[in-house]
Structure formats: C-alpha cells, structure tokens
Amino acid sequence: MSDTLLTVRDLHTHFRTDAGTVRAVDGISFEVQRGEVLGIVGESGAGKSVAARSIMRLIDSPGVIVNGEVRFEDDLLVGVERGDDPDGEPRQDPEMLSSREIRERVRGREIAMIFQDPTESLNPVFTVGEQLSEIIGLNRDVSAAEAEAIAVERLREVGIPEAERRMDDYPHEFSGGMRQRVLIAMAFACEPSLVIADEPTTALDVTVEAQILDLVKDLAARYDTSFVWVTHDMGVVAEICDRVAVMYLGEIVEQATVDDLFHDTKHPYTEALLGSIPRPDRDVDGLSPIEGIMPEAINPPQGCRFHTRCPHAREACLHAHPDARVVDGGSEQARDVETADGTALTEVAAAPHRAACLRNDAFAEAGYWESVPLDDAESVSASTAAESASDSAGDAATDATGPTDAPDATAAASNGSTVDPDADPLLSVRDLRKYFDASDGFLDRLRFDRDAGLLPFSADREHVRAVDGVSFDILPGETLGLVGESGCGKSTLARTLLRLVDPTSGDIVFDGENLAELSKEELRKRRKRMQFVFQDPQASLDPRMTVGETVEEPMRAHGLYEGDREGRARELLETVGLDADHYNRYPHQFSGGQRQRVNLARALSVDPDFIVCDEPTSALDASVQAQVLNTMKELQDEFGLTYLFISHDLSVIRHVCDRVAVMYLGELVELADKDDLFESPKHPYTRALLSSIPVPDPRVSRETVPLSGDVPSPIHPPTGCRFHTRCPSLVAPAELGLGDDEWDRVRRFVRAVQRESPDVVADDARATYFPDGLPAGDAGATVEHALSLAADGAWRDAASLLTETFVEPSVCTSEVPTLDSPGGLDRIVSCHHYS
C-alpha cells in the first residue's frame, strides 16, 4: 500500500461573479503522506480555506471546481476538466464519487474537518452529547447506547472534565477552548485517516492554543491521523507541521519540509512572511513588512504574481510565469515501498523542496539574472497597472502600492528604550475598580430566606468585578504592554482609563489631574490629549464618511485647525504611510492594515500625548501587522507619544513595549521591564503565558507550563489567590510535610484526576505518577483512595477528595497575596512564593 494518502493535482476553484471570475485556487498540486501534517500558509485572500474546502467538495455557489484531481487513497473525490468553453460546465470523470457517496463514505468517516469558529459549527439548540452521538451513529455501525458511550470517551480523550455529565450541556455552556475541544472530539469520533483543520486555533488565547496543539499532536499519534493544517501563524506551523505549502494569490509558490522552509527559504514571499513576524524568544530590531497589498484574484498580475511586491523583481518576472520546480537544496527523494502483492518498488516521495521563483537555477532558461532589475518607478507602474485591472473589473478595494504604502523597514528605529525612568508619570492609576451589575432587573436580585421571620425577602446585587484594584504608572514616551487571557479585564481597564466607562472607585491621574473626579464637560476638554485605537479597523470607521472626514472629525469636535483641517488631514495620511490623494476615498476601498492606519491618523489629529491601543493588530495578517507596528514606533519617535498597548500576542508585546503588565481576573499579577519579564518570569501565570507562545522556528523547542480549567467567573472569583484554581505551582500545605519532588508528583496527579485522564485508571497508574512509591501518611492514603474512586468511575468524588486534602489547606487558597516588590526582585509580583 502506498504511503500517499491524499493527492491533489492541478486544482482550480473559481468564483463567477458579476465583476468577473475570481480565481481563488489556480492550479495547486500537493500530496499528504500517512501520519503527516501538511501546513498551508499565506496571507488572507491567498486561497488557503478555499483549497481546504475544495478537497471535500464543500464549495458553495457561485464557486465551482473547474479543473483538477483530488484522490483519497483509491477514491477519486474530484475529477474534472475544463471544457472548450471556459465559462461552461467542466467535464466530470466518470470515476468521480457522487455527492451521496462522498457524504456517506468519506466525510466524517475517512476525512473530517475542524472549522475556525466553534460557535458557528455547533448547533445551539442541541446538546453537545446529541450532536456528537449523531455523528457517530451516522458513520459507524453501532447502537444508540454504544454511540453515546463512544461520545463520552471522545470527550474524555480531548480533556473535558466530567465528560458524562457534560454530554447534556449546550454549546453556550462551554468556554471557547472547550467548544474547540468538542469539535476535535467530533473530528476524531470515527477515527478518520485525514483531518482538515481550517485555522482551528486562531480565535483562542495563547494558553488554550497550546493545550489544543498538544492535544492534536497526541491524538494524531494515537490514531495515526494525517492533517492538512490551514493557518496564518508561522509559530504554529513550526510546532506542528512536517511539511509546508506557501500560497500566494491562488498558487503554491513554495513547498518544503518545515525545517527547509524556515532555514533554507527559496521564495521571496516566504522570506517576507518570516521577516514580518516578531519573535517571542528574542528581540527583533525592526520588522520587514511586505510592501503593498495582495492584488485581486479577478485579474492577477501577468508573469510572476508576486512581482508587484517583490524586492528582487526583474524584467523577466513581468513575462515568465514560474511553476513550482525542484530547486537547489531539494532533490527527488526515492524510497522503497511495498505493493499489495508484496512486490518492492521505488516511489518518488513528496519531500522535494519546490519553489516558483525565477531566481533559482531550475529556471535558468527564463534569463532572470540577465534581465534588468525593476527600479522603483517600474515597480510602482506595474503595481498600479495590476490594481487598475482589478478596479476595472469592479473591485475598488485595492489601493496603489508604492513607496508611500509602507514605511521603509530599514528606517524603523530599534526598540531600545529612551524613556527617562526618573520622570514624573504621565498616567498614574491607583486602586482602580470597575464593577458591572450582573443582575437582570429587580426580581433577579430577590432572595428568599425562610428563617428571616416577617420579612423573608431581601434584595441582593451581584457584580462582575471586571477591574478589581489595579495600580500602575506610565512614564512619558513609554509603551506599557498589557497582557492576559480573554475575560481578564484588559479592554475594560482601557475604557475606564479614558472614562469611556466610569470607574466604580479609584484614581486616574493624568498629568497631575484626577480624571475620575472631572465632570463630563471638563473631561471632554481634556480628552483631546488622550485617544483610543480600537481592535477592529473596519467596525471603528463610519462607512458613509470619507477617510478625510473621519480624520477631520476630532479636530472639528475640539475646535482645532479651523480653516486648514483638510491640509492637516492630508498631512496626517502621509504621516501614517498613506497617500494624501486617499483623502476622498471610503473605508471599503482600503485593506485592513490601511484602515488601521486611518485610525492612527484620526487619533493623531488632535495632537494627543497618550494613545490606548486595544488589540490594534489582532485582526491583521502578519505582513500588514508589521507595517502598522513599524508605523506606530516611528510616530512615537517623531511625536513623543505614550502608548498603553493591549494584546494577547506576546510576540508583538516583546517587540513594541518597554514594560509589561500581566493581568488575571481583574487584577495585576506581575509588572516588570520587558526583557526581565520575558527572560525570567516570576508569577506562575506569567510563566504559563510565555511558555505557551509558539516560536516560529522548528529548531527551537518549548516546554509548556500546563494550566488546568478555564478562567473562573469574575462574579464569584476564587478566594485567596485568584489563580490558585489553575496554578501549577500551588504552595504545599505545611501540615502534610511533603518534599518538593513529592509535592510536584502529587500536583501532577491532582491535575490528571481533574482532567479525568485515562492514565489515572491504567494498570501502571501508580508507577506513572509515583515512581518512587506513594507519599507517606495521610497524603498517601488520600491518593490511594482517589485511585480507587477513579477506577470505579467516580471522578467527581476523587477530584473533591484531592481538593479537600491538597488544595484547600494551601495558603494560596485562603490568603490574598500582596502586589509588592519583594527584596532582590526587579519587579512587582503578586504570588505567595515571593511574599
């Protein structure tokens, strides 16, 4: 049997629209071997998701697969060929499976798919158990009871605690990470040979992403499953993939093993992608963004499609359209395989390094090195011509891509800080709190007490403690990073600082004046010195206003630059790397990165001193993100701006910030200089966050600090240290007398029981968790009892017993740690290990 599981040859998927034919996938070829993880990467619009869906024939109208072959083992999933009329229906191979055959024999049973958004993939009106059991019942010859039992086991395998009980829960009762685990359980429900994962970790926090990646690697090894992993995150690619296909404008421009792709790159687009990514493991002096934006797929550029943005483009690139060929450093690798009758034969492996670039020796006949380099004027001309073709086809979204589109990366200043540590703070926050009423009206607040006598009813309020006693300073010209998982209070804190929502209590002193005490009129006068850049560049711009009107609006509101607002707006557009002629364009005519630059220009229009940036690059591709980050740094150097930069991407935080504050469940748990924090984190939560970041280098390994469970509810936060319910470094109860090694093994065992790990009920469980024997005394007796309960299926009782013995007596559970700077530490940290 061949090792090749999936073969894709010359696949073309087009979308026929009134504006023209969008060539979303335009002639891609690749193979997936058994047990292999193939990554497909590229910017938004490259065709990654369309390619993944085409494999399973999940293309909706007006999309149509017009040519190509997709073969899964011996089954022809796609076999179509263009007819003489390019707009006519393609001819189908009679061997191709029908829609019914694919539905009944392939989808779910042999090939499964994990989609990006679990909320949209799960039906909200059915329980998780019903949906999972249905998939198993449809694709496996089992009874309803057997399907339910398999479903429970799959939920347990993907790490959902109390799996049997949670079968009756609805999707909205699960966190985002748990919903993604449910989708993975569904994908593996029928033990498929191939799983197609379309950006499955994009919307997840870095800690949850790390858990999902570890889970997928474990399941893939257990079931010998192959993956097609679609992503834009090169860190994820480096961690999970064996080979990588890089897509640009519907084509695969490079394909190689993951190590070759990162360390022996052959295509300029791949080089540019890797050069635009900040690294979590070291400082990068300046990111190298890809100039311009990807052209439209309606009328792609002639010749090499990347030549309009390529720094190495020459005259030959305008005319020759390179295919993906074996290039230097790659070779056709042969291997011996065995056929069904036992005969040995030699088969060409899918491992050669291929690239579609004329610079490589495989394209000597194209005359690349003999042709003339394209100078800046020619590059701009070619780029403008390509965009004009797209505009004539009815798409106004593509902008001119010239030198003004992105600041020169070489001009970007290094990230060395010039902040004066002895200066007075520009912003000083003390004991800031913001609570939200969690009650739904008066009746929801009523409480009944049968022992209360004549007045058994009372009204009680519950509050979401979004921000709960936060204190910090920001110095002039500094960038303070604020990080933490979703729901920790970052965005609420940002809005409270600018009084977009009023604080419950606390002080917000800006340049010596307490904003918390100002009236609305007084606050409006001060607000021009403080501006906000929101996360979604599209949602934060009025689609009915031109960008010129958008930039002028704050000036008009504060009575600034009367008589010269248009000139000021045009000047600001150029300052942020756009063209002054874009003044009369509307937001939909810009890319995501360009829209975020408009937001920056708007924020700068009133000459602010302080800008709050709430996830300003999270919705952007890595290449566009690099442009925006470089622009922000240049603006800070030019205007002396002070930033509060909020992000869940710690690689970005390391690149742009001077100091970093870590937030958990409404509180700050650590605040330190950026380099000190990344090189030597002290709080267990900070260590977990940093260890979860995938590094964009397959030669760099990381050891993830495990976190159990989800962030608790801010309505009823845990007693003591709020992180203790998930902490891997819980302080041992003194009365148990456990040594450090014994306590480490006990903690590991407790986490395994809480996750209902199958290892706990295996025959060698004692040797797995306690190789040197059970602890002495009461601790050992408790462990023995917990093992017995787990073996009987009483997981909840086992977890409760362990919690009562090992967790509740800990100082972390009973006492609140102070946020202080202990002797000898270069930071402030809130942890009992340093109290």
Side-chain angles (χ1 to χ4, degrees), residues 325-617:
R325 299 182 186 178
V326 176
V327 294
D328 294 346
S331 61
E332 296 286 357
Q333 299 180 6
R335 64 175 185 269
D336 291 332
V337 297
E338 188 173 292
T339 62
D341 60 2
T343 305
L345 56 83
T346 299
E347 179 180 273
V348 175
H353 193 153
R354 298 178 179 275
C357 179
L358 301 181
R359 291 194 303 162
N360 295 295
D361 291 343
F363 296 91
E365 78 282 358
Y368 171 84
W369 296 106
E370 292 76 27
S371 64
V372 179
L374 296 179
D375 59 27
D376 289 345
E378 289 173 314
S379 297
V380 173
S381 175
S383 177
T384 305
E387 288 164 1
S388 298
S390 293
D391 289 341
S392 67
D395 192 302
T398 306
D399 302 319
T401 60
T404 62
D405 188 74
D408 186 357
T410 60
S414 70
N415 204 38
S417 175
T418 57
V419 178
D420 180 3
D422 298 322
D424 292 332
L426 179 65
L427 180 73
S428 184
V429 179
R430 291 294 178 270
D431 201 25
L432 186 64
R433 286 175 165 80
K434 177 58 187 177
Y435 295 171
F436 296 95
D437 190 350
S439 305
D440 295 330
F442 177 74
L443 293 178
D444 189 54
R445 296 197 296 266
L446 281 182
R447 301 291 182 268
F448 176 76
D449 185 355
R450 64 175 67 250
D451 299 323
L454 295 177
L455 295 174
F457 292 98
S458 62
D460 185 22
R461 285 181 178 271
E462 287 189 332
H463 294 94
V464 175
R465 303 180 179 187
V467 179
D468 205 10
V470 170
S471 300
F472 61 87
D473 295 330
I474 303 182
L475 301 177
E478 180 183 35
T479 300
L480 177 68
L482 186 61
V483 302
E485 294 170 285
S486 300
C488 71
K490 305 187 301 294
S491 294
T492 300
L493 174 60
R495 286 163 170 75
T496 307
L497 292 180
L498 268 60
R499 289 279 305 273
L500 299 180
V501 294
D502 288 329
T504 302
S505 64
D507 297 321
I508 310 167
V509 179
F510 180 78
D511 201 15
E513 192 168 29
N514 194 344
L515 303 182
E517 299 174 351
L518 297 182
S519 67
K520 292 187 181 297
E521 182 60 29
E522 292 173 323
L523 183 64
R524 194 184 72 82
K525 295 177 182 177
R526 310 299 191 281
R527 189 163 277 157
K528 70 183 184 69
R529 297 185 61 193
M530 306 171 291
Q531 290 295 299
F532 205 111
V533 176
F534 293 93
Q535 176 175 351
D536 188 341
Q538 183 167 353
S540 54
L541 295 174
D542 190 332
R544 297 169 297 179
M545 296 173 64
T546 65
V547 298
E549 293 170 332
T550 296
V551 175
E552 289 179 19
E553 187 179 33
M555 295 186 260
R556 191 174 296 108
H558 291 283
L560 300 176
Y561 295 98
E562 291 187 17
D564 191 33
R565 286 173 185 150
E566 179 176 340
R568 169 69 172 165
R570 290 180 180 272
E571 177 187 343
L572 286 171
L573 290 176
E574 291 184 335
T575 299
V576 298
L578 297 174
D579 195 307
D581 292 338
H582 293 167
Y583 177 88
N584 290 314
R585 293 192 179 188
Y586 288 88
H588 74 272
Q589 295 175 280
F590 292 87
S591 68
Q594 291 169 321
R595 282 194 287 263
Q596 198 63 292
R597 291 176 188 225
V598 173
N599 276 325
L600 284 171
R602 174 188 169 94
L604 291 172
S605 66
V606 290
D607 302 316
D609 299 306
F610 177 53
I611 299 180
V612 175
C613 305
D614 187 7
E615 300 271 12
T617 62

Side-chain angles (χ1 to χ4, degrees), residues 95-110:
E95 185 188 347
M96 187 174 77
L97 297 186
S98 66
S99 296
R100 180 175 180 177
E101 287 175 317
I102 279 195
R103 187 170 59 249
E104 294 180 351
R105 288 172 44 188
V106 178
R107 290 179 193 155
R109 187 186 297 263
E110 292 293 338

Side-chain angles (χ1 to χ4, degrees), residues 24-201:
V25 174
D26 209 21
I28 65 172
S29 299
F30 61 87
E31 294 178 354
V32 179
Q33 309 302 308
R34 296 183 187 278
E36 180 183 49
V37 179
L38 173 71
I40 300 181
V41 302
E43 296 171 281
S44 298
K48 308 184 300 294
S49 293
V50 176
R53 290 171 178 264
S54 297
I55 294 172
M56 295 180 68
R57 283 173 38 193
L58 293 175
I59 301 298
D60 296 325
S61 179
V64 59
I65 300 174
V66 298
N67 192 81
E69 176 181 299
V70 177
R71 188 174 293 276
F72 176 78
E73 294 185 318
D74 295 327
D75 290 325
L76 186 63
L77 307 185
V78 175
V80 295
E81 184 179 355
R82 281 195 184 98
D84 297 331
D85 180 5
D87 295 325
E89 288 298 316
R91 293 191 293 266
Q92 292 189 3
D93 190 311
E95 185 188 347
M96 187 174 77
L97 297 186
S98 66
S99 296
R100 180 175 180 177
E101 287 175 317
I102 279 195
R103 187 170 59 249
E104 294 180 351
R105 288 172 44 188
V106 178
R107 290 179 193 155
R109 187 186 297 263
E110 292 293 338
I111 304 179
M113 192 156 188
I114 304 172
F115 293 97
Q116 178 175 344
D117 189 349
T119 304
E120 294 183 359
S121 302
L122 294 171
N123 193 323
V125 301
F126 292 101
T127 67
V128 162
E130 289 172 333
Q131 296 181 61
L132 187 50
S133 298
E134 181 185 28
I135 290 174
I136 296 169
L138 287 173
N139 292 287
R140 298 177 67 169
D141 186 18
V142 295
S143 66
E146 290 173 321
E148 185 173 342
I150 295 172
V152 171
E153 183 59 29
R154 289 293 178 269
L155 291 180
R156 190 172 287 127
E157 280 182 346
V158 299
I160 293 181
E162 303 180 59
E164 192 166 0
R165 180 182 65 82
R166 303 221 66 180
M167 285 275 289
D168 296 326
D169 288 348
Y170 289 87
H172 73 272
E173 297 178 276
F174 289 76
S175 67
M178 286 298 176
R179 282 194 290 265
Q180 195 63 282
R181 289 174 184 265
V182 170
L183 285 188
I184 294 172
M186 289 180 172
F188 280 90
C190 301
E191 302 179 17
S193 302
L194 175 67
V195 174
I196 300 172
D198 187 5
E199 300 270 14
T201 62

Side-chain angles (χ1 to χ4, degrees), residues 33 101 132 161 187 290 323 333 347 416 462 479 553 627 639 643 648 690 695 726 751 802 833:
Q33 309 302 308
E101 287 175 317
L132 187 50
I290 308 175
D323 56 338
Q333 299 180 6
E347 179 180 273
E462 287 189 332
T479 300
E553 187 179 33
Q627 296 173 10
F639 298 107
Y643 291 131
H648 69 277
L690 296 181
V695 179
R726 307 172 68 201
R751 289 196 300 270
L802 294 173
H833 282 283

Side-chain angles (χ1 to χ4, degrees), residues 733-764:
E735 61 269 23
L736 293 179
L738 296 173
D740 291 343
D741 291 341
E742 281 186 314
W743 179 237
D744 286 343
R745 288 191 285 269
V746 166
R747 285 204 319 260
R748 179 168 167 253
F749 176 71
V750 171
R751 289 196 300 270
V753 172
Q754 291 171 339
R755 295 196 307 268
E756 300 184 12
S757 171
D759 293 339
V760 174
V761 294
D763 293 338
D764 59 349

